[in-house]
Amino acid sequence: ELGRFEHYMQKEIHEQPESLRMTLSGRVDSRTANITLGGLTNFERQLSHFKRVLLFGCGSAWHAGLIGEYLIEELAELPTEVQYSSELRYRNPLIEEGTLAIAISQSGETADTLAALHEVRTRGATVLGIVNNVGSTIARETDAGVYLHVGPEIGVASTKAFLGQVTVLSMLAVYLGRRKHLSRDTISTFLSELERIPEAIEQTLLLESQMREIAYKFSGRQNWLYLGRGINYPTALEGALKLKEVSYIHAEGLPAAEMKHGPIAMIDEGMPVVVIATRDVTYQKILSNMEEVRSRGGEVIAIVNQPDAQIERLAKNVVVVPRTQPMLSPLVASVPLQLLAYHAALSRGLDVDKPRNLAKSVTVE
Ligand code: F6R
């Protein structure tokens, strides 16, 4: 079943172009600027009445939700909030009228997310699901939803399901925005960029030997930082989580500018600092953040999509991924971080598919 791969995690990372083609298949058409989401057909009219969105999930699904927040605010212009399922449940979630709640889950069986779903529904929210596992409990209990269609994910660390969740959220953001301010041209351009993502990921996968080298160089260091801004701040969180779960190295993801409000004190000679610096409005700012790291002896591993002289000066390790629409860059920038975590775990002799203390789905609260 593993074919040419050694582990499910590696196989699933490499399957991502094909998986996302399945996620997009029959749903996105850039020529006609159309999005068809079969699971929402009966909901179409109702959807235009929602005034705010509440996304919830755990772990990687929560990170996908954070990326979804940027997408929905930008493309659908709806106020959006993201909650950990486990926290949502025990606060006093104020579900105003017109709230669209969205549960995000690969397995569809995560107990915390199921409990949060019950809580928000009791309080009157309409609940959609963004789920991979067809017919799972969360899929059955939501009012409607969109499946990921990425195929079964067996490796404990989520890879293709995470990218599937982000892909569905980007389609959903356009879907919610299309009857509002978004022009046909804007939609068509965005969708054609989305259609090109699987190919961009194919090219990104060619970076595996570089990521392996970087992993072996730094996997002896027990503390890492991951920095990103804007829509790639959650990418940094996800990169750090991948490293923690499979290699047991301590890593912290941060919005890059927050570093100077405390965590910068941790930076010492040789500390690996992964910085996502793909081009968007924050590019110049993130270069200054890199400078702050470098001047304290940190080792910058920069993920970029348009290298320049400044990057070469600031980072000894430069990883070049293909350019995409900035809002879709997490789909590409996440891939080298998955490969980095995978090879860091191997270099430490660990079982990446069965990390200690973890199970594929967490069915206890
Ligand atoms: C991370 C990971 C977990 C899951 C989380 C939610 O790699 O696998 O953080 O993302 O337990 O699981 P689902 O999506 O099944 O609800």
Side-chain angles (χ1 to χ4, degrees), residues 121-235:
R121 203 178 30 215
T122 307
R123 290 171 181 250
T126 299
V127 193
L128 298 187
I130 295 182
V131 172
N132 192 37
N133 199 353
V134 176
S136 55
T137 313
I138 293 173
R140 282 186 279 113
E141 295 208 13
T142 41
D143 298 300
V146 184
Y147 281 119
L148 306 182
H149 290 321
V150 297
E153 188 178 68
I154 293 161
V156 164
S158 184
T159 53
K160 62 178 184 174
F162 170 73
L163 291 197
Q165 288 158 354
V166 174
T167 302
V168 167
L169 284 160
S170 61
M171 291 191 287
L172 192 63
V174 177
Y175 194 80
L176 292 171
R178 83 211 137 121
R179 297 259 159 75
K180 297 163 75 180
H181 59 286
L182 290 180
S183 74
R184 218 186 120 89
D185 274 1
T186 310
I187 295 177
S188 172
T189 310
F190 187 85
L191 295 185
S192 70
E193 296 277 350
L194 188 55
E195 285 167 339
R196 295 223 306 262
I197 290 294
E199 201 187 315
I201 296 175
E202 260 157 26
Q203 284 172 38
T204 311
L205 289 168
L206 301 175
L207 297 168
E208 180 153 14
S209 56
Q210 186 190 7
M211 296 323 293
R212 183 175 185 280
E213 231 170 78
I214 296 175
Y216 277 73
K217 186 165 153 195
F218 294 111
S219 64
R221 305 288 309 209
Q222 198 45 42
N223 283 295
W224 296 39
L225 280 182
Y226 283 70
L227 308 178
R229 298 185 78 128
I231 201 163
N232 280 306
Y233 151 53
T235 311

Side-chain angles (χ1 to χ4, degrees), residues 7 216 219 246-248 341-352 354:
H7 303 96
Y216 277 73
S219 64
V246 298
S247 75
Y248 318 151
Y342 172 73
H343 286 289
L346 292 196
S347 81
R348 299 180 133 216
L350 301 171
D351 182 350
V352 287
K354 289 208 167 40

Side-chain angles (χ1 to χ4, degrees), residues 52 54 87-99 101 115-127:
R52 57 188 287 268
L54 169 62
E87 288 297 317
L88 177 58
R89 175 106 197 272
Y90 293 103
R91 53 200 289 165
N92 181 20
L94 302 171
I95 307 294
E96 291 165 51
E97 208 182 312
T99 299
L117 186 166
H118 292 153
E119 183 67 33
V120 295
R121 203 178 30 215
T122 307
R123 290 171 181 250
T126 299
V127 193

Side-chain angles (χ1 to χ4, degrees), residues 14 17 30 54 69 72 85-86 88 90 108 116 121 144 158 173-174 186 197 217 244-245 261 286 305 325-326 347 357:
H14 281 266
S30 60
L54 169 62
E69 179 180 19
I72 295 170
S85 307
S86 56
L88 177 58
Y90 293 103
R121 203 178 30 215
S158 184
V174 177
T186 310
I197 290 294
K217 186 165 153 195
K244 283 185 271 200
E245 352 177 44
H261 298 286
I286 209 156
N305 59 6
Q325 214 279 356
S347 81
N357 310 336

Side-chain angles (χ1 to χ4, degrees), residues 58-61 105-107 110 156-158 165 241-242 245 362:
C58 305
S60 295
S105 175
Q106 187 287 126
S107 61
T110 301
V156 164
S158 184
Q165 288 158 354
L241 177 60
K242 287 298 87 119
E245 352 177 44
V362 185

